[in-house]
Amino acid sequence: MKTSVITLSNITKSYFLGETTIEILHGISLKIYPGEFAAITGPSGSGKSTLLHIIGLLDVATSGTYLLHDKDVTKLKEDRQADIRNHEIGFVFQSFNLLQRASVLENVTLPAVYAGTPTTIREDRAKELLEKVGLSDHIYKRPNQLSGGQQQRVAIARALMNDPSIILADEPTGNLDSKSGKDVMEILRGLNKQGKTVVIITHDPALANQARKVVTIRDGLIAKT
Ligand code: ADP
Ligand code: MG
């Protein structure tokens, strides 16, 4: 039996707004195995992004446990979580989240700056990654000089900078035309073939069907696995 790389047990998430508490996730239990390609799907507002942010250590659960590589990360201090996130997880956002005032190359090197990798090593690696996503000719441009599809490929290169074993993508094709969306999916599938664990959120059934595992979230609960 392979052991899971991501193990969520009874995860809840509540937001405290003044006097009232709203529970968004009501007890999610989920296992993701190494090398898996999983899709999280479900209606808008059902809690998909909240769940992926918890998996990506960008947010913390209110209760429940989260094991990452068999290690309980639920109650780690914030700086320790940031450290694990920077090394183990690459996150791709729907709206790319690139720094507009930095060059493409600088955007991609950023996770390695935080990790303390020496300049020449990180720049060589960033150039290599940008070549892999077909952007060698654009490394000194600003993100807003690129198309949406190109920007998302920059974001993927950035996600790969510290060679994480897990890639999380929140509607990575949501802001793209269908051709660019296909290219981005192709890259994510290629990364999965190379052994990375990939979890994507999509509300596009055609994309979800390309995944080997589909998790449907409805009103903060898993409807179907
Ligand atoms: P999805 O990604 O499936 O569209 P989200 O996880 O973004 O859903 O949001 C789920 C619910 O949580 C929504 O009703 C949203 O309004 C609410 N929500 C998200 N973030 C916050 C927040 N910071 N404070 C309060 N409510 C939030
Ligand atoms: Mg969302």
Side-chain angles (χ1 to χ4, degrees), residues 45 48-50 94 170-171 201:
K48 303 181 298 296
S49 293
T50 304
Q94 177 173 353
D170 189 348
E171 310 215 26
I201 292 178

Side-chain angles (χ1 to χ4, degrees), residues 73-120:
V73 292
T74 327
K75 289 175 188 74
L76 288 180
K77 292 232 166 62
E78 215 166 285
D79 57 339
R80 188 68 197 108
Q81 285 203 342
D83 200 42
I84 294 175
R85 175 173 73 236
N86 196 30
H87 287 93
E88 317 252 354
I89 296 164
F91 211 103
V92 178
F93 301 87
Q94 177 173 353
S95 49
F96 326 133
N97 287 16
L98 300 172
L99 290 179
Q100 291 300 338
R101 270 185 275 172
S103 70
V104 164
L105 185 65
E106 286 164 342
N107 268 280
V108 175
T109 56
L110 209 55
V113 175
Y114 295 138
T117 311
T119 313
T120 35

Side-chain angles (χ1 to χ4, degrees), residues 15 17 24 43-50:
Y15 288 108
L17 306 167
I24 304 294
S44 180
S46 55
K48 303 181 298 296
S49 293
T50 304

